Amino acid sequence: MIMVMKMASVYWLNWSDEVGFVHPSQLASFHVLEGQDTTESLVEDVQTSIAGERNLVITSEGLPFESVGVKSNLLLVDEGNTESNRGPSYDRSVFWCGDHKLAICIPALRPLFKAAKSAYLFSYRQYRILGDLSQNEDCSPYLCESGSSSETLREHRSKMDLQSVEAALLKHSKVVAILSCDYASAWNSRKQVISQKTIKEVYGAELQLSALVLSYAPKSEQAWSYRRWLIRLIINVSAKSKEPLMILERESDFLERIAEKSRMNYRAWRHRCWLVNHMSTRQVLTELLRTKRWAQLHVGDNCCFHYRRCLLLHLCRSKSSTSTENKVFSTEDFYGNFQNDTMEDWDEPFMIWKDELDWNKYLIKYYIGREALWIHRRFIFHQLIQQPRSRYSITSSTLDSDISPKKEAPTDCYSYEQLHAFLDEEFELIDMCLNVADTGFEDTTQQKEYAAMYKMWMIMQLQGINGSKELLERVEKERCNLKAMLEKVCPQRAVVWEGLFCLNQCSYVEPH
Amino acid sequence: MSSYTRMGELEIEKHTQFIMSVEKKKDFDSMVMEHLRMSGAYWGLTTLDLMGKLDAVNREEVVSWVLQCQHDCGGFSGNVGHDPHILYTLSAIQILALLDKLDTIDADKISAYIVGLQQEDGSFAGDEWGEIDTRFSYCAVCCLSILHRLDKIDVGKAISYVASCKNFDGGFGCTPGGESHAGQIFCCVSAFAISGALTHVDRDLLGWWLCERQVKSGGLNGRPEKLADVCYSWWVLSSLTIIERVHWIDKEKLKTFILDCQDKEHGGISDRPDDAVDVFHTFFGIAGLSLLEYPGLKPIDPAYALPVHVVDRLFFGQPH
């Protein structure tokens, strides 16, 4: 396993290392492809290995493996041989290593894990003893385990040497973490050691370990949690430098690769949303552009659209904040990177949402029957009518009713006619989708159902807020037509919409 | 093929044998699950009790092992020699409640551990390393409630933190702004239910999101665009039960889906039909069927995820 660590420490920014657990025949084929062995000899090797169920052990200088009862050492790492073309030698019936990939033969996993766990627990015990000793700082005689010696605390400690114990702990906990990715205690031991370090190469190597594990276990909760712990540490330690921003950029690349490999991975996207809190405005805009392209290739990926919602919300909040830092970003800055996007009204949160809505409409028309697109539309609609600064906000639009108190029309708002025009557009889209020609495929049925649900959503949202008498009358009219539409498109949901509309009463309330 | 001939029976005997056999497995896959054995034990034991088969287990042995997993800080780990965590602390307490052995532990000590994990904003960390998640809020509230020590934490803050994780769709995520997920929703809704704070839930809105989890096959998924999975039969169904909207899904179709996920030959239930079985999905499948009132299964409490007779014993039974 020592070679794994060598690979990991050389390029701390290289996160393309991968681990995989493979069937023996697959392992054999890797070696054959490399031309290192003939098929016959290697297959024989592999078969002997499985048949014999040899105990494998991880060697490390100075650790007493005899005491843990392990019989034979079959993993040889010849570090002196790194100059040769073939690199370090290792047991080829168990491993294949090349091109930043490490393959481990599945039958070897169990004995490997047993040995690794023993080594890890031993090294952790040593580490804890040292830690306890250093806390009980005194010169009183310390009795070692046999009870016969009476050397002092300091003498004993010098024998153990904190550095070598730490190195052993890091080595063995790494192996355990690779073989059993959610073995939390192994990751926790690393936190104990790493939290005492301040060298950035160390953090880089740790991020690389997490990436290595995620290469074969992209849902590993511990690997993601460790990653966040590390990034928090890096941010705390290097707050003023450019380090955190660089890390975020690399994370973005890394997360996009994971998103491709592991569809709608909740933990990966959760991590990506978490990073938004630490992003600069420019990074948020970069992410928006990046994910726009990505989303168009993955229109069924609800996680990506949710991530966009996080980014857009963050942008709105930072634009509405009074901090000068957030306002300092010029049209030129923006144009420098995003040639195809128009900029005129970008400084309005309202336009951010309107832009997103228009793009969503294009996708809905082109990609029929995709739930994620309609969910995204529900959110944008909700934002547009809820936001107090939104031009479509009911609460800030002029009210024409003589019941309402006279108000001076805010200069940045449309009149209520334009609100109705917006609703017209939405209902038009819905009608278009409800009338999509039946192809006999699932997606057209789904498109109709999602359109119907969206209309239901709109009515529900509009019912819940203050509005002019005319608006409310319009909403009530649409609600009455809803039932007929729903009965036709999704009768199986009858219980639901009957329940929803029973409990929601539509009423006109005095605006405050 | 009529639905009558298609619908299978629940193979209680086979599932019992499967659960008992999990213990003995020594393969690599079992080895890499050893850190979460406490939760595995809770899933297995609760399933056995729901099927009326808890007597197959040696209670003293289980209790003795659970107690070995307690650390000086008061928290429990997933197995002997592993680090403590709030997830396994809850599983340990649930097991002891199930076996009626809560008198073997020091409730104040465990409460102190959990109290120590509450943050300034009311959220809970999972352990000393600080990861925040609404799952841990649920663990804290559920565990302390079972120990009759819910008043030891700042309940108001705990609830307001969970409420801050509510999304536009009525659902909840792991942290504020996190994507709505059926598992997280279960945790948040149950935390509200246990604390008497269900007013924070918009029942119609959430009920709608939850009922949209039912797909054509009758199974439930956990989020939009995902495949149905038996474990969501629990998380979605228990949430719907708590907010009184179970009638918004097709219960018969769901029942059929769960039964189709059984391995009728070797026992156990898998995430979807014809996949490999495991204890996790076996528990959630059986628990889901219990909520659907499948004959022959004991009723289960949707918030505590323990058989109703256990919860009754805790709150209405012998005082301690």
Side-chain angles (χ1 to χ4, degrees), chain A residues 154-167:
Chain A
R154 284 198 188 130
E155 284 172 280
H156 190 86
R157 204 190 314 157
S158 69
K159 274 188 194 174
M160 289 180 78
D161 188 14
L162 178 67
Q163 266 199 324
S164 77
V165 165
E166 269 184 5

Side-chain angles (χ1 to χ4, degrees), chain A residues 20-34 42-43 46 92-96 103-107:
Chain A
F21 300 156
V22 302
H23 190 272
S25 56
Q26 206 176 351
L27 188 78
S29 67
F30 290 150
H31 287 296
V32 166
L33 279 170
E34 251 190 342
L42 187 68
V43 168
V46 169
R92 287 204 295 282
S93 66
V94 174
F95 303 104
W96 174 81
I104 309 176
C105 186
I106 289 172

